[in-house]
């Protein structure tokens, strides 16, 4: 008995040990499961969410750019961008007859692209979870791709910029890239304000990519700010049309024009040639991007003679009746000779402008304190930034000499030896038209008349405007006349500078003026570069553009015609309802 029992007991002992260990392990595992699923269930939930949770960016709508009347110049339209997950496609288990290659071919057919090209893209990005297929598609095109239900292909919402005015306002507004970031113009200068702030949405997806539930609260997107410009789209269209016609007619290389509100400093129109269509940049050339009105520099020539006369009258050494002897029609400074078209003899300041006498202008400048002309130019904004915040804006060149040679003083006085932009020249004429009161130039709409400073005595500014009227009435600016309105202005025809100095067969054609002359409201400068036709003088090329644009502007803005000489104002008699003309 002992022998049999001794061989049996150890076997029972090992059985119970194994059985006990199994029961213990079962209880431990069961207890742990109970703890995780009942007591500490949030742990597993959080771990699952971490592996399936996704955060999606909600794009913010870019702010609109508007003209002064609320007309849209740049708006954002919703589009769809189709994306793919190549890694998911290549690792997907397909049923009979389907492979990753056949799915790619089917997708290529729907997209209208070559299957070999698309196959290569998927192969190149085989290990990646993200790849763009098409960006900024209209809804119907995105729907067609999504209806194909290709594994790993999804879409997300984006915005695409649209420019209703097209090439007419392209240099002012600029454009954005495919990621909706500003690249030129106002879009670039005020990109941060226009962009807004993107939102976020967190959610959990299953293995098929379907949204199961959202997590937490969405962070809403904040749309970008709308920007209201000072530009009047009606005047912008008008100026653009006429400038383009002039460039075509005279076979010019380029051109620019600017219209300013005299009292507020607002830029009502700013146009350039050549231009581009921001809605279709497939054939865009870099040279077309230049906002020449604020970037390109040129010597202003005779258009600054009214500014020189402002310095002369402000000095007290000259009056409107002063006479200057231009005989014998030229001045020599060593090897340099300054000439007029003829010997005008003794002339007054008004005749100086009408005849555009370089000799008379030079004699005046030489009689003034050495820095008098320079100081006047600087007060009027030449040689410094206008300050509209536009990308690429230039200061121009206003030379400073410790000792001025007579020839340098003389040539500066009639517009050579310095350079400026179309906008800077328009600013100078705006100050003259505003009674010598300089207000800041702005690309944004102003609520009222901004604060400025008196940089020219009011009477001096009025006298110069009066003399400039004679240039349009009986001088080289006759083509700038506007029926029913009095115009004050000055022409300029400047030799271009080449690699070997001034080129005598290439010109800058200029006209700068204001209207109505008796109570100026608008100042405008037209610059045409390298007119290759038979006409190239500023009075022949640029003055007609001024006339056509300003005539339309007077009508659009409902600006009353000038009163005839000797009349002061027109009033409405309340008793008779008749207009009463009052004498001056």
């Amino acid at each position: 008995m002992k022998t049999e029992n001794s061989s049996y007991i150890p076997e029972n002992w090992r059985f119970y040990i194994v059985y006990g260990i199994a029961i213990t392990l079962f209880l431990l595992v069961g207890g742990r499961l109970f703890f995780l699923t009942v007591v500490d269930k949030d742990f597993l939930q959080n771990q699952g969410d971490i592996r399936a949770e996704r955060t999606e960016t909600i794009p913010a709508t870019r702010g609109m750019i508007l003209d002064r009347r609320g007309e849209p110049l740049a708006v954002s339209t919703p589009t769809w961008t189709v994306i793919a997950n190549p890694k998911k496609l290549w690792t997907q288990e397909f049923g009979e007859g389907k492979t990753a290659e056949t799915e790619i071919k089917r997708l290529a057919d729907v997209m209208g692209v070559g299957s070999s090209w698309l196959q290569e893209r998927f192969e190149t990005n085989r290990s990646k979870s993200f790849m763009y297929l098409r960006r900024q598609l209209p809804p119907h095109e995105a729907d067609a791709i999504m209806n194909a239900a290709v594994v790993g292909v999804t879409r997300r919402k984006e915005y695409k910029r649209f420019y209703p005015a097209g090439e007419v306002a392209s240099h002012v507004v600029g454009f954005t890239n495919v990621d909706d970031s500003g690249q030129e113009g106002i879009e670039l200068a005020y990109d941060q304000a226009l962009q807004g702030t993107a939102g976020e949405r967190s959610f959990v997806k299953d293995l098929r990519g379907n949204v199961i539930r959202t997590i937490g609260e969405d962070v809403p997107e904040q749309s970008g700010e709308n920007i209201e410009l000072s530009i009047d789209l009606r005047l912008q269209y008008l100026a653009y049309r006429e400038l383009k016609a002039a460039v075509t007619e005279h076979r010019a290389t380029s051109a620019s024009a600017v219209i300013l509100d005299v009292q507020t400093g607002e830029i009502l129109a700013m146009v350039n040639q050549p231009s581009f269509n921001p809605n279709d940049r497939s054939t865009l050339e870099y040279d077309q991007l230049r906002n020449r009105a604020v970037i390109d520099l040129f010597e202003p020539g005779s258009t600054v003679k009214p500014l020189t006369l402002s310095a002369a009258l402000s000095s007290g050494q000259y009056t409107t009746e002063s006479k200057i002897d231009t005989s014998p029609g030229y001045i020599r400074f060593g090897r340099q000779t300054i000439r007029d078209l003829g010997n005008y003899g003794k002339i007054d300041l008004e005749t100086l402008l009408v005849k555009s006498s370089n000799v008379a202008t030079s004699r005046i400048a030489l009689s003034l304190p050495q820095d008098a002309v320079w100081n006047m130019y600087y007060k009027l904004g030449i040689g410094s930034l206008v300050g509209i915040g536009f990308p690429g804006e230039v200061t121009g060149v206003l030379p400073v000499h410790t000792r001025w040679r007579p020839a340098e003083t003389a040539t500066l006085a009639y517009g050579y030896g310095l350079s400026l932009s179309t906008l800077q020249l328009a600013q100078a004429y705006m100050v003259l038209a505003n009674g010598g009161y300089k207000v800041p130039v702005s690309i944004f709409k102003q609520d009222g008349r901004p604060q400025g400073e008196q940089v020219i005595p009011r009477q001096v500014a009025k006298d110069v405007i009066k003399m400039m009227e004679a240039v349009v009435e009986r001088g080289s600016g006759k083509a700038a006349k506007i029926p029913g309105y009095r115009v004050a202005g000055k022409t300029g025809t400047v030799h271009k500078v080449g690699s070997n100095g001034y080129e005598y067969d290439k010109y800058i054609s200029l006209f700068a003026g204001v209207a109505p002359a008796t109570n100026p409201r608008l100042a405008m400068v037209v610059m045409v570069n390298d007119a290759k036709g038979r006409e190239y003088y500023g009075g022949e090329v640029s003055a007609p553009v001024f006339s056509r644009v300003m005539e339309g502007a007077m009508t659009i803005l409902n600006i009353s015609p000038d009163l005839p000489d000797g009349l002061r104002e027109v009033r409405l008699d309340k008793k008779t309802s008749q207009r009463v003309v009052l004498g001056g």
Side-chain angles (χ1 to χ4, degrees):
M1 291 291 293
K2 289 182 180 179
T3 304
E4 292 177 0
N5 288 340
S6 62
S7 62
Y8 173 76
I9 293 172
E11 291 180 1
N12 286 340
W13 176 78
R14 284 194 294 271
F15 171 77
Y16 286 115
I17 289 176
V18 173
Y19 187 75
I21 292 172
I23 294 295
T24 302
L25 291 174
F26 177 79
L27 291 174
L28 288 173
V29 173
R32 183 60 178 168
L33 289 175
F34 176 81
F35 177 78
L36 291 175
T37 56
V38 178
V39 179
D40 195 23
K41 62 180 180 180
D42 292 338
F43 174 79
L44 288 180
Q45 184 67 56
N46 291 336
Q47 291 299 309
D49 289 347
I50 289 171
R51 288 159 176 77
E53 182 180 335
R54 298 291 182 269
T55 299
E56 181 182 65
T57 299
I58 306 172
T61 307
R62 192 173 177 88
M64 292 193 296
I65 300 177
L66 311 167
D67 88 331
R68 64 184 304 105
R69 300 169 56 247
E71 293 291 330
L73 300 175
V75 295
S76 291
T77 57
T79 60
W80 290 100
T81 289
V82 181
I83 58 180
N85 185 337
K87 184 177 181 180
K88 184 175 182 178
L89 178 66
W90 289 115
T91 57
Q92 179 73 22
E93 293 184 6
F94 294 97
E96 187 178 350
K98 276 189 177 184
T99 63
E101 288 78 6
T102 60
E103 289 292 277
I104 293 172
K105 185 180 185 307
R106 191 161 60 88
L107 179 61
D109 292 340
V110 175
M111 293 175 59
V113 299
S115 58
S116 59
W117 173 81
L118 191 59
Q119 174 86 22
E120 184 180 349
R121 285 199 65 198
F122 271 91
E123 285 282 3
T124 304
N125 297 279
R126 192 182 190 102
S127 61
K128 296 181 180 179
S129 300
F130 180 88
M131 181 180 76
Y132 283 117
L133 288 177
R134 284 284 180 83
R135 298 199 68 178
Q136 298 183 340
L137 291 175
H140 68 279
E141 292 186 24
D143 288 342
I145 296 175
M146 295 308 300
N147 288 339
V150 176
V151 173
V153 175
T154 57
R155 65 179 175 181
R156 69 185 185 189
K157 191 175 184 180
E158 287 187 335
Y159 289 94
K160 183 179 181 181
R161 210 64 163 158
F162 176 67
Y163 302 94
E167 63 185 55
V168 173
S170 58
H171 289 114
V172 176
V173 179
F175 60 87
T176 61
N177 61 13
V178 71
D179 293 316
D180 222 17
S181 296
Q183 301 297 295
E184 292 287 342
I186 295 296
E187 294 276 33
L188 173 60
Y190 298 92
D191 184 52
Q192 188 173 358
L194 288 163
Q195 272 191 353
T197 305
E200 287 186 350
R201 179 171 56 236
S202 297
F203 48 84
V204 176
K205 285 187 174 182
D206 62 16
L207 293 177
R208 295 184 177 181
N210 300 316
V211 176
I212 301 173
R213 60 185 174 84
T214 59
I215 301 175
E217 295 184 0
D218 293 351
V219 178
E221 74 278 15
Q222 295 181 357
S223 298
E225 297 177 21
N226 292 339
I227 292 180
E228 190 171 25
L229 302 183
S230 59
I231 296 295
D232 189 318
L233 193 53
R234 299 170 300 177
L235 270 60
Q236 185 81 4
Y237 271 115
L238 179 60
Y240 182 84
R241 181 190 70 192
E242 296 300 337
L243 190 70
K244 186 174 183 178
V247 167
T248 301
E249 178 184 356
H250 298 287
R251 294 183 288 120
T253 301
S254 60
S256 60
V258 173
I259 302 176
L260 298 180
D261 186 302
V262 165
Q263 296 181 349
T264 65
E266 294 169 305
I267 301 174
L268 300 181
M270 180 189 290
V271 295
N272 300 280
Q273 282 293 314
S275 188
F276 66 96
N277 184 355
N279 297 310
D280 179 12
R281 301 194 286 274
S282 58
T283 59
L284 181 64
E285 297 179 7
Y286 178 76
D287 191 54
Q288 296 173 321
L289 297 177
R290 299 174 63 83
N291 186 345
R292 299 176 184 274
V294 298
I295 293 175
D296 284 9
L297 297 175
F298 54 87
E299 290 182 307
S302 295
T303 56
V304 298
K305 287 175 180 173
L307 313 186
T308 300
L309 294 192
S310 298
L313 294 173
S314 298
S315 71
Q317 294 180 223
Y318 291 87
T319 69
T320 55
E321 305 300 322
S322 297
K323 302 287 185 180
I324 300 95
D325 189 359
T326 65
S327 299
Y330 61 86
I331 307 176
R332 286 199 178 97
F333 299 102
R335 296 182 179 179
Q336 183 175 351
T337 302
I338 296 174
R339 299 180 182 277
D340 283 339
L341 294 178
N343 184 357
Y344 301 133
K346 289 186 177 182
I347 59 175
D348 59 19
L349 301 189
E350 183 176 288
T351 306
L352 180 158
L353 290 182
V354 173
K355 298 291 187 181
S356 198
S357 172
N358 292 339
V359 173
T361 305
S362 299
R363 291 195 187 280
I364 288 176
L366 291 169
S367 70
L368 296 174
Q370 192 176 64
D371 58 353
V373 173
W374 189 96
N375 283 336
M376 179 56 65
Y377 289 176
Y378 187 77
K379 287 179 182 178
L380 295 173
I382 298 173
S384 57
L385 291 175
V386 176
I388 61 172
F390 200 92
E393 184 185 347
V394 293
T395 60
V397 178
L398 183 58
V400 179
H401 301 294
T402 54
R403 184 178 179 182
W404 288 81
R405 293 182 297 174
E408 292 171 338
T409 301
T411 54
L412 187 76
Y414 62 83
Y416 283 85
L418 74 156
S419 61
L420 43 67
S421 66
T422 305
L423 180 61
Q424 287 175 316
L425 185 57
Q427 177 182 236
Y429 271 67
M430 176 194 75
V431 177
L432 286 176
N434 199 25
Y437 191 74
K438 183 182 178 183
V439 297
V441 175
S442 177
I443 192 67
F444 300 110
K445 184 179 179 181
Q446 302 295 303
D447 294 329
R449 187 175 183 180
Q451 289 294 317
E453 60 176 327
Q454 195 76 36
V455 296
I456 303 175
R458 184 173 180 81
Q459 188 57 49
V460 169
K462 291 180 66 175
D463 289 340
V464 173
I465 292 293
K466 181 69 176 176
M467 288 187 284
M468 286 196 297
E469 280 192 68
V471 176
V472 177
E473 286 299 318
R474 53 190 179 90
S476 58
K478 291 179 181 178
K481 289 182 178 180
I482 303 173
Y485 295 87
R486 291 163 63 172
V487 175
K490 185 70 185 78
T491 59
T493 307
V494 186
H495 288 285
K496 292 189 64 176
V497 178
S499 56
N500 297 315
Y502 289 105
E503 300 185 19
Y504 288 91
D505 59 346
K506 292 185 178 182
Y507 302 90
I508 300 288
S509 308
L510 295 162
F511 185 84
V514 302
T518 53
N519 183 25
R521 289 282 308 279
L522 303 178
M524 181 178 182
V525 172
V526 180
M527 186 280 288
V528 178
N529 174 34
D530 193 19
K532 300 178 183 66
R534 300 179 66 179
E535 298 175 329
Y536 57 84
Y537 286 108
E540 299 171 322
V541 176
S542 298
V545 177
F546 176 96
S547 174
R548 292 191 291 268
V549 174
M550 286 297 238
E551 182 178 5
M554 295 294 116
T555 302
I556 290 170
L557 300 179
N558 197 27
I559 297 175
S560 300
D562 293 271
L563 296 172
D565 289 331
L567 300 181
R568 184 157 52 88
E569 60 179 319
V570 178
R571 289 183 180 175
L572 185 67
D573 190 305
K574 295 181 179 180
K575 294 182 179 179
T576 62
S577 297
Q578 298 294 318
R579 295 182 182 274
V580 179
V581 180
L582 303 178

